């Protein structure tokens, strides 16, 4: 049985509050944006963040899915499974939140490919389907060349490259959170605030774990 890891809390925050938004009555014309309950509607920055995180997480899912087929060590297999489970959960929760707020919802297939949203967001499929990305460049996203190098690696080489690439990928997610919090009026929606805060904390903890794993790897070709 797969155990749910702490990052699933971020998905839970979006899921519970997104469902509440979906079921709550919408304010009548002329009512304030808080629906009369002191709650502010999400901003364009909130929507962009949640949408972007779907694309960002999808690439981590692609990377993690390679571990079982690329002779990864047991330690990397465990880490990759944890990333895969938690980020798939968060993708699903983010999709539900966008749908609840009547926003375009990017779709992610089992291979990690992100299809264009109804709004026509760019979800280019360079790099053999593994490089689906948001219209705006996002920090930490791997290039097609980096993904190809990881896909070609096996065994200890895969372990080292997986950690070397996943660390800055996680750091990019934290940068996205910091950019959200710097945006005027953003993250006032409770679900978005909790989601972003949990992403920041969980990814930071996982970065520390991965840095320790990388330092413990036997010396090998760089």
């Amino acid at each position: 049985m797969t155990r749910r890891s702490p990052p699933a809390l971020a998905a839970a925050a979006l899921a519970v509050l997104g469902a509440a938004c979906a079921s709550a009555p919408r304010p009548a014309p002329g009512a304030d944006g808080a629906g009369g309950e002191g709650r502010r509607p999400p901003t364009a920055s909130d929507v962009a963040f949640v949408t972007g995180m779907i694309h960002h997480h999808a690439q981590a899912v692609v990377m993690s899915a390679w571990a079982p087929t690329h002779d990864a060590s047991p330690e990397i297999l465990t880490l990759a499974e944890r990333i895969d489970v938690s980020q798939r959960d968060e993708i699903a929760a983010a999709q539900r939140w966008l749908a609840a707020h009547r926003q375009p919802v990017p779709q992610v297939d089992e291979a990690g490919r992100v299809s264009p949203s109804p709004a026509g967001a760019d979800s280019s499929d360079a790099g053999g389907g593994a490089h689906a990305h948001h219209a705006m460049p996002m920090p930490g996203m791997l290039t097609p060349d980096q993904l190809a190098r990881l896909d070609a690696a096996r065994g200890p080489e895969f372990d080292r490259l997986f950690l070397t690439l996943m660390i800055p990928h996680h750091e990019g997610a934290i940068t996205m959170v910091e950019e959200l919090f710097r945006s005027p009026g953003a993250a006032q929606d409770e679900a978005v605030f909790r989601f972003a805060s949990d992403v920041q904390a969980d990814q930071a903890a996982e970065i520390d774990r991965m840095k320790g794993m990388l330092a413990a790897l036997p010396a090998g070709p760089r």
Side-chain angles (χ1 to χ4, degrees):
M1 178 182 295
T2 300
R3 298 181 61 187
R4 298 287 164 160
S5 54
L9 295 175
L14 281 180
V16 172
L17 290 165
C21 289
S23 59
R26 305 186 70 82
D32 63 26
E37 299 175 0
R39 293 162 57 186
R40 298 184 186 179
T43 66
S45 294
D46 294 333
V47 174
F49 171 77
V50 175
T51 303
M53 199 56 69
I54 291 174
H55 292 259
H56 206 274
H57 278 9
Q59 191 176 74
V61 167
V62 169
M63 297 166 66
S64 299
W66 284 336
T69 59
H70 288 56
D71 302 324
S73 67
E75 294 77 13
I76 296 297
L77 284 171
T78 299
L79 171 67
E81 180 184 13
R82 182 179 187 276
I83 292 172
D84 181 86
V85 170
S86 64
Q87 301 211 0
R88 284 184 188 275
D89 283 350
E90 290 180 17
I91 287 170
Q95 290 170 325
R96 290 192 294 271
W97 184 89
L98 288 170
H101 289 279
R102 300 184 181 181
Q103 299 296 323
V105 181
Q107 300 300 313
V108 182
D109 68 15
E110 285 300 312
R113 291 184 294 259
V114 185
S115 63
S117 69
D122 179 13
S123 301
S124 301
D125 195 21
H131 191 244
H133 59 272
H134 193 235
M136 296 297 292
M138 288 183 291
M141 291 290 280
L142 275 60
T143 66
D145 179 66
Q146 288 173 316
L147 284 165
R149 285 172 53 211
L150 181 62
D151 192 16
R154 295 293 185 277
E157 181 186 2
F158 178 86
D159 291 353
R160 184 176 298 279
L161 194 55
F162 181 86
L163 293 170
T164 300
L165 295 174
M166 190 64 82
I167 288 170
H169 192 274
H170 273 36
E171 290 172 340
I174 292 176
T175 298
M176 291 171 65
V177 172
E178 292 170 345
E179 291 173 347
L180 173 72
F181 287 159
R182 286 196 298 266
S183 300
Q188 298 301 307
D189 178 272
E190 187 177 358
V192 173
F193 177 78
R194 289 187 181 182
F195 177 51
S197 298
D198 288 344
V199 166
Q200 187 176 46
D202 297 334
Q203 303 269 292
E206 210 156 58
I207 287 168
D208 289 342
R209 186 178 301 112
M210 288 191 290
K211 286 181 176 178
M213 294 173 68
L214 184 59
L217 290 178
R222 299 284 179 174

